Amino acid sequence: MQQAKIICLTQSKGGTSKTSSVWNIAACMVNQGYKVLAVDTDQQANLTTSLGVDPLELEGRSVYTLFTDSQVKAKEIIIATAEGIDLLPANNDLSVVEFSIKGAVSREKILARKLRPVVESYDYILIDTPPSFSLTTLNAMSAANYLLCPIQPEPYCLDGMNISIR
Ligand SMILES: Nc1ncnc2c1ncn2[C@@H]1O[C@H](COP(=O)(O)OP(=O)(O)OP(=O)(O)O)[C@@H](O)[C@H]1O
Ligand SMILES: [Mg+2]
């Protein structure tokens, strides 16, 4: 039985190439014939935009909905993009997700639970995270088998990595 390897790209320092890495690694994997799902958990929605999806046109069908509506399934939100990468898209609604799920049971495992039904449909699931250690980031890390922390060789970036993996 196929089971996707889930990789979370995380780093508290901003602008270290989390989003660009998810996009480029996913594109390389698709070119190699792998089936890939990219998950955008950043309210900036840079990954979503990079893959040609307008965050303003999601009409409530976003990662935020996945986090906050227990009835919504991942497969109902996934968009097949022109690049051949499937996408769970984000929009600015994610800016309030911390408040929306703060009372939820096992709130750090919501994303893991929602991804479980689709792990057999993919070879790899790549999760982009915001530049902060938030409940959203914790969900992304909890769902993952592997963490990839892109850094640039500068002190603040190393500080950011310490925050991410502490
Ligand atoms: N390998 C690279 N070499 C040079 N520039 C790069 C590389 N990867 C990304 N960049 C550039 O660095 C900038 C930041 O990249 P990106 O948005 O992917 O970072 P990020 O970590 O996702 O940022 P944020 O923390 O805001 O989400 C972008 O302008 C991107 O074009
Ligand atoms: Mg980013």
Side-chain angles (χ1 to χ4, degrees):
M1 186 173 61
Q2 180 183 323
Q3 193 88 327
K5 290 185 173 65
I6 305 179
I7 306 169
C8 169
L9 281 87
T10 188
Q11 161 67 265
S12 292
K13 179 86 172 71
T16 60
S17 202
K18 294 178 286 297
T19 302
S20 302
S21 298
V22 168
W23 181 18
N24 283 284
I25 293 169
C28 289
M29 287 171 165
V30 166
N31 282 340
Q32 294 291 313
Y34 293 111
K35 191 133 177 45
V36 181
L37 173 67
V39 183
D40 193 349
T41 67
D42 186 356
Q43 68 187 70
Q44 299 180 97
N46 295 150
L47 179 63
T48 299
T49 310
S50 298
L51 290 172
V53 175
D54 185 347
L56 298 176
E57 293 186 354
L58 295 177
E59 295 176 355
R61 301 175 71 80
S62 68
V63 164
Y64 174 81
T65 328
L66 205 58
F67 270 113
T68 56
D69 188 337
S70 59
Q71 302 302 312
V72 170
K73 298 180 170 63
K75 66 178 183 188
E76 297 167 343
I77 306 285
I78 290 170
I79 295 171
T81 72
E83 300 205 25
I85 302 164
D86 281 1
L87 171 70
L88 274 172
N91 59 17
N92 193 46
D93 290 350
L94 276 174
S95 60
V96 296
V97 74
E98 306 275 316
F99 302 102
S100 306
I101 63 173
K102 70 176 182 201
V105 176
S106 301
R107 55 193 177 277
E108 77 286 0
K109 293 273 189 190
I110 295 172
L111 186 61
R113 286 199 297 274
K114 292 296 183 111
L115 289 178
R116 208 169 292 145
V118 299
V119 289
E120 288 170 26
S121 304
Y122 295 97
D123 299 301
Y124 292 96
I125 297 176
L126 301 175
I127 309 176
D128 189 22
T129 58
S132 62
F133 187 74
S134 58
L135 192 48
T136 319
T137 305
L138 188 57
N139 263 273
M141 293 167 89
S142 299
N145 309 117
Y146 303 94
L147 300 181
L148 188 54
C149 300
I151 65 162
Q152 286 161 6
E154 53 183 59
Y156 290 159
C157 205
L158 292 175
D159 290 346
M161 193 166 79
N162 283 337
I163 293 168
S164 298
I165 63 173
R166 191 163 48 203

